[in-house]
């Protein structure tokens, strides 16, 4: 199966090269019992997002991967023929390859070979904009690279020799590995400091009783577009995979609730490399510690149910599977559907249908946020006599008083709003 060509090639070869990325052959096998990440359309979108130009697609089915080359000998010959015919410089597998499989394939195909993990890492490297994001990507790349160093240094597996080259008996490969380990330790230490700083920020928000809401979802579900629509931020949003990599926090004012901190996070994808999850631990803690997760789903996608299951799987992997979730079905403008709130049998909002691009249903989302985050709030009108002046002062000190009305008998009527835990502690302290 081949991709359609993007039009007639220009007569000027240099102009064509400038318009096209690296010409790539794409390979996906349907392995018995493991169909994770085999969506060819998503795979093509990943390659395009990385700047590549898919020129051919090869599929197939095997009971299990070949230990030496992942695919069988016949398939290797088929790929090699396509590399020659299409003048391709890169073959990308929609699977994780071992270092030895990459080396064997490169030797047989006489071109570079990249697996799914390397492809995603490359996209992340292009998208990282902040210092923290770049550190996280570099850490994931170094961990991935550490098992593949031998590919570039096989000619230096013997000790150095000659005038000026005699050293402590360390091969070039060993030196490279040692330097790589030192760099990994250095980046890990710096990211640990970032993690502690984020932790301090979260504790400050918790002391101020400021709820945190994190946007999560499959890549390209529209999280950043929704984030911009709600907060009037200018986070980069585009119709491409992993358009957002760096986490962004903004304040959102929710009527009858107050200030909420909204966090935009990196999108998930099927077969997300574990090394990336480890490297982005500091960022993903915003998800683990959030008071509410907004799971943004592309309502118009044919794979929306599979994507929802995949996101839920990643949330469990990062220990966020028990966080409260409000599902957001985005892009309803592509379905010509109406904005609405779906509720469970108790009347609690569980799903909001909206279009972040068109702005339809945003007010319903804010309404649902107020209800879900207000579940642990006490909103009451209390009558206080003159003898309860200390309780009145405590409520004012906690900024819990929304309105006060004076009575003729010298007492007051207060409309208060505060977290239930604070209310219970206050009443216990007053002996009520």
């Amino acid at each position: 199966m081949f991709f359609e060509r993007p039009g007639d090639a220009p007569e000027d070869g240099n102009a064509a090269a400038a318009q096209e990325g690296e010409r790539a052959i794409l390979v996906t096998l349907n392995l018995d019992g493991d169909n994770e990440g085999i969506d060819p359309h998503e795979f093509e979108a990943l390659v395009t997002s990385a700047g590549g130009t898919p020129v051919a697609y090869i599929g197939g089915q095997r009971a299990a991967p070949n230990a030496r080359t992942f695919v069988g000998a016949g398939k290797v010959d088929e790929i090699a023929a396509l590399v020659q015919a299409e003048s391709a410089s890169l073959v990308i597998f929609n699977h994780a390859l071992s270092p030895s499989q990459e080396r064997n394939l490169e030797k047989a195909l006489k071109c570079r070979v990249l697996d799914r993990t390397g492809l995603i890492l490359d996209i992340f490297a292009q998208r990282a904009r902040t210092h923290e994001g770049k550190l996280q990507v570099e850490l994931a790349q170094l961990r991935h690279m550490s098992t593949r160093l031998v590919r570039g240094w096989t000619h230096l597996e013997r000790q150095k020799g000659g005038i000026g080259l005699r050293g402590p008996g360390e091969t070039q490969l060993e030196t490279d590995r040692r330097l790589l380990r030192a760099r990994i330790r250095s980046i890990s230490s710096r990211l640990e400091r970032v993690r502690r700083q984020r932790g301090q920020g979260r504790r400050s928000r918790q002391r101020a009783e400021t709820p945190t809401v994190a946007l999560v979802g499959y890549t390209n579900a529209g999280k950043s577009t929704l984030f911009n629509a709600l907060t009037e931020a200018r986070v980069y949003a585009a119709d491409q995979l992993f358009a957002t990599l760096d986490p962004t926090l903004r304040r959102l004012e929710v009527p009858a609730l107050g200030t909420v901190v909204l966090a935009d996070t990196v999108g998930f994808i099927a077969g997300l490399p574990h090394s990336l999850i480890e490297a982005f631990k500091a960022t993903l803690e915003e998800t683990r510690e959030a008071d509410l997760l907004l799971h943004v789903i592309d309502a118009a996608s044919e794979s929306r149910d599979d994507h929802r299951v995949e996101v839920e799987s990643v949330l469990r992997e990062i220990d966020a599977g028990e966080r409260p979730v409000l599902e957001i079905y985005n892009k309803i403008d592509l379905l010509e559907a109406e904005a609405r709130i779906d509720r469970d049998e108790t009347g609690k909002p569980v799903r909001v249908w909206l279009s972040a691009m068109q702005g339809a249903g945003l007010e319903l989302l804010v309404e649902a946020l107020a209800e879900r985050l207000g579940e642990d709030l006490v909103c009451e009108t209390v009558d206080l006599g003159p003898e309860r002046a200390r309780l009145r002062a405590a409520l004012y000190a906690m900024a819990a008083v929304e309105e006060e009305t004076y009575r003729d008998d010298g007492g007051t009527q207060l409309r208060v709003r505060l977290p239930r835990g604070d209310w219970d502690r206050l009443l216990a302290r007053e002996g009520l």
Side-chain angles (χ1 to χ4, degrees), residues 254-292:
V254 178
L257 183 66
T259 300
V260 171
V261 172
L262 192 64
D264 188 19
T265 62
V266 63
F268 301 147
I269 196 169
L272 189 66
H274 186 73
S275 58
L276 275 179
I277 296 176
E278 283 295 310
F280 280 74
K281 189 176 293 183
T283 299
L284 295 174
E285 281 188 357
E286 295 293 347
T287 301
R288 286 201 296 267
E289 301 295 332
D291 296 285
L292 179 67

Coordinates of all heavy atoms in Angstrom, one line a residue, residues 254-292:
V254 N -14.3 31.7 38.0 CA -15.5 30.9 37.9 C -16.6 31.6 38.8 O -16.4 31.7 40.0 CB -15.3 29.4 38.3 CG1 -16.7 28.7 38.2 CG2 -14.3 28.8 37.4
P255 N -17.7 32.0 38.2 CA -18.8 32.7 39.0 C -19.3 31.8 40.1 O -19.4 30.6 39.9 CB -19.9 32.9 37.9 CG -19.1 33.0 36.6 CD -18.0 32.0 36.7
A256 N -19.5 32.4 41.2 CA -20.0 31.7 42.4 C -19.0 30.7 43.0 O -19.3 30.0 43.9 CB -21.3 30.9 42.1
L257 N -17.8 30.7 42.5 CA -16.8 29.8 43.0 C -15.5 30.6 43.4 O -14.9 30.4 44.4 CB -16.5 28.7 42.0 CG -15.4 27.7 42.5 CD1 -16.0 26.8 43.7 CD2 -15.1 26.7 41.3
G258 N -15.1 31.5 42.5 CA -13.8 32.2 42.7 C -12.8 31.8 41.7 O -13.0 31.4 40.6
T259 N -11.5 32.0 42.1 CA -10.4 31.7 41.3 C -10.0 30.3 41.2 O -10.0 29.6 42.2 CB -9.1 32.5 41.8 OG1 -9.4 33.9 41.8 CG2 -7.9 32.3 40.9
V260 N -9.8 29.8 40.0 CA -9.4 28.4 39.7 C -8.1 28.5 38.9 O -7.9 29.3 38.0 CB -10.5 27.6 38.9 CG1 -9.9 26.3 38.5 CG2 -11.7 27.5 39.8
V261 N -7.1 27.6 39.2 CA -5.9 27.5 38.3 C -6.1 26.4 37.3 O -6.4 25.3 37.6 CB -4.7 27.2 39.2 CG1 -3.5 26.9 38.3 CG2 -4.4 28.4 40.1
L262 N -6.0 26.8 36.0 CA -6.2 25.9 34.9 C -4.8 25.5 34.3 O -4.0 26.4 34.1 CB -7.1 26.5 33.8 CG -7.6 25.6 32.7 CD1 -8.5 24.5 33.3 CD2 -8.4 26.4 31.7
A263 N -4.5 24.2 34.2 CA -3.2 23.7 33.7 C -3.4 23.0 32.3 O -4.2 22.1 32.2 CB -2.6 22.8 34.7
D264 N -2.7 23.5 31.3 CA -2.7 22.8 30.0 C -1.5 21.9 30.0 O -0.3 22.3 30.3 CB -2.6 23.8 28.9 CG -2.7 23.2 27.5 OD1 -3.3 22.1 27.4 OD2 -2.3 23.9 26.5
T265 N -1.7 20.6 29.6 CA -0.6 19.6 29.7 C -0.3 19.0 28.4 O -1.1 19.1 27.4 CB -0.9 18.5 30.7 OG1 -2.1 17.8 30.3 CG2 -1.2 19.1 32.1
V266 N 0.7 18.2 28.3 CA 1.1 17.5 27.1 C 0.1 16.4 26.8 O -0.5 15.8 27.7 CB 2.5 16.9 27.2 CG1 2.5 15.8 28.3 CG2 3.0 16.3 25.9
G267 N -0.2 16.2 25.5 CA -1.2 15.2 25.1 C -0.6 13.8 25.2 O 0.6 13.6 25.1
F268 N -1.5 12.8 25.3 CA -1.1 11.4 25.4 C -1.3 10.8 24.0 O -1.9 11.3 23.1 CB -1.9 10.6 26.4 CG -1.8 11.2 27.8 CD1 -2.8 11.1 28.7 CD2 -0.6 11.8 28.2 CE1 -2.7 11.6 30.0 CE2 -0.5 12.3 29.5 CZ -1.6 12.2 30.4
I269 N -0.7 9.6 23.8 CA -0.8 8.9 22.6 C -0.6 7.4 22.8 O 0.0 7.0 23.8 CB 0.3 9.4 21.5 CG1 -0.1 9.0 20.1 CG2 1.7 9.0 21.9 CD1 0.7 9.6 19.0
A270 N -1.1 6.6 22.0 CA -1.0 5.1 22.1 C 0.5 4.8 22.0 O 1.2 5.3 21.2 CB -1.7 4.4 21.0
G271 N 1.0 3.9 22.9 CA 2.4 3.5 22.8 C 3.3 4.6 23.3 O 4.5 4.7 22.9
L272 N 2.8 5.5 24.2 CA 3.7 6.6 24.7 C 4.9 5.9 25.4 O 4.7 5.1 26.3 CB 2.9 7.4 25.7 CG 3.6 8.7 26.2 CD1 3.7 9.7 25.0 CD2 2.8 9.4 27.3
P273 N 6.1 6.3 25.0 CA 7.3 5.6 25.5 C 7.4 5.9 27.0 O 7.2 7.0 27.5 CB 8.5 6.3 24.8 CG 7.9 6.9 23.5 CD 6.5 7.2 23.9
H274 N 7.8 4.8 27.8 CA 7.9 4.9 29.2 C 9.0 5.9 29.6 O 8.9 6.6 30.6 CB 8.2 3.6 29.8 CG 8.2 3.6 31.3 ND1 7.0 3.6 32.1 CD2 9.2 3.5 32.2 CE1 7.3 3.6 33.4 NE2 8.6 3.6 33.5
S275 N 10.0 6.0 28.8 CA 11.1 7.0 29.1 C 10.6 8.4 29.1 O 11.0 9.3 29.8 CB 12.2 6.8 28.0 OG 11.7 7.1 26.7
L276 N 9.6 8.7 28.2 CA 9.0 10.0 28.2 C 8.2 10.3 29.5 O 8.2 11.4 30.1 CB 8.1 10.2 27.0 CG 8.8 10.6 25.7 CD1 7.7 10.7 24.6 CD2 9.5 12.0 25.9
I277 N 7.4 9.3 29.9 CA 6.6 9.4 31.1 C 7.5 9.7 32.3 O 7.3 10.6 33.2 CB 5.8 8.2 31.4 CG1 4.7 8.0 30.2 CG2 5.1 8.2 32.7 CD1 3.9 6.8 30.3
E278 N 8.7 9.0 32.4 CA 9.6 9.2 33.4 C 10.2 10.6 33.4 O 10.4 11.3 34.4 CB 10.7 8.2 33.4 CG 10.3 6.8 33.9 CD 10.0 6.8 35.4 OE1 10.9 7.4 36.2 OE2 8.9 6.4 35.8
A279 N 10.6 11.0 32.2 CA 11.3 12.3 32.0 C 10.3 13.5 32.3 O 10.8 14.5 32.8 CB 11.8 12.5 30.6
F280 N 9.0 13.3 32.0 CA 8.1 14.4 32.2 C 7.3 14.2 33.6 O 6.3 14.7 33.8 CB 7.0 14.4 31.1 CG 7.5 15.1 29.9 CD1 8.5 14.4 29.1 CD2 7.1 16.3 29.5 CE1 9.0 15.1 27.9 CE2 7.6 16.9 28.4 CZ 8.5 16.3 27.6
K281 N 8.0 13.6 34.6 CA 7.4 13.4 35.8 C 7.0 14.7 36.5 O 6.0 14.8 37.1 CB 8.3 12.6 36.7 CG 7.7 12.1 38.0 CD 8.7 11.2 38.8 CE 8.9 9.9 38.1 NZ 9.8 9.0 38.8
A282 N 7.9 15.7 36.4 CA 7.7 17.0 37.1 C 6.4 17.6 36.5 O 5.6 18.2 37.2 CB 8.9 17.9 36.9
T283 N 6.3 17.6 35.2 CA 5.1 18.1 34.5 C 3.8 17.4 34.8 O 2.8 18.0 35.1 CB 5.3 18.1 33.0 OG1 6.4 18.9 32.7 CG2 4.1 18.7 32.3
L284 N 3.9 16.0 34.8 CA 2.7 15.2 35.0 C 2.2 15.3 36.5 O 1.1 14.9 36.7 CB 3.0 13.8 34.6 CG 3.3 13.6 33.1 CD1 3.7 12.2 32.8 CD2 2.1 14.0 32.3
E285 N 3.1 15.8 37.4 CA 2.6 15.9 38.8 C 1.4 16.9 38.9 O 0.6 16.8 39.8 CB 3.7 16.3 39.7 CG 4.6 15.2 40.1 CD 5.6 15.6 41.1 OE1 5.7 16.7 41.5 OE2 6.4 14.7 41.6
E286 N 1.4 17.9 37.9 CA 0.2 18.8 37.9 C -1.1 18.0 37.7 O -2.1 18.4 38.2 CB 0.4 19.8 36.8 CG 1.6 20.8 37.0 CD 1.4 21.7 38.2 OE1 0.2 21.8 38.7 OE2 2.3 22.4 38.6
T287 N -1.0 16.9 36.9 CA -2.1 16.1 36.7 C -2.5 15.3 37.9 O -3.6 15.2 38.3 CB -1.9 15.2 35.4 OG1 -1.6 16.0 34.3 CG2 -3.1 14.3 35.2
R288 N -1.4 14.7 38.5 CA -1.7 13.8 39.7 C -2.3 14.6 40.9 O -3.0 14.0 41.6 CB -0.4 13.1 40.1 CG 0.1 12.0 39.2 CD 1.0 11.1 39.9 NE 2.2 11.8 40.3 CZ 3.4 11.8 39.6 NH1 3.4 11.2 38.4 NH2 4.4 12.5 40.0
E289 N -1.9 15.9 41.0 CA -2.3 16.6 42.2 C -3.5 17.5 41.9 O -4.0 18.3 42.8 CB -1.2 17.5 42.6 CG 0.1 16.7 43.0 CD -0.1 15.8 44.2 OE1 -1.0 16.1 45.1 OE2 0.6 14.8 44.3
A290 N -4.1 17.5 40.7 CA -5.2 18.4 40.4 C -6.5 18.0 41.2 O -6.7 16.8 41.5 CB -5.5 18.3 38.9
D291 N -7.3 19.0 41.5 CA -8.6 18.7 42.1 C -9.6 18.1 41.2 O -10.5 17.4 41.6 CB -9.1 20.0 42.7 CG -8.2 20.6 43.8 OD1 -8.2 20.0 44.9 OD2 -7.5 21.5 43.5
L292 N -9.4 18.4 39.9 CA -10.4 17.9 38.9 C -9.6 17.8 37.5 O -8.9 18.7 37.2 CB -11.6 18.9 38.7 CG -12.6 18.5 37.7 CD1 -13.3 17.2 38.1 CD2 -13.6 19.6 37.5

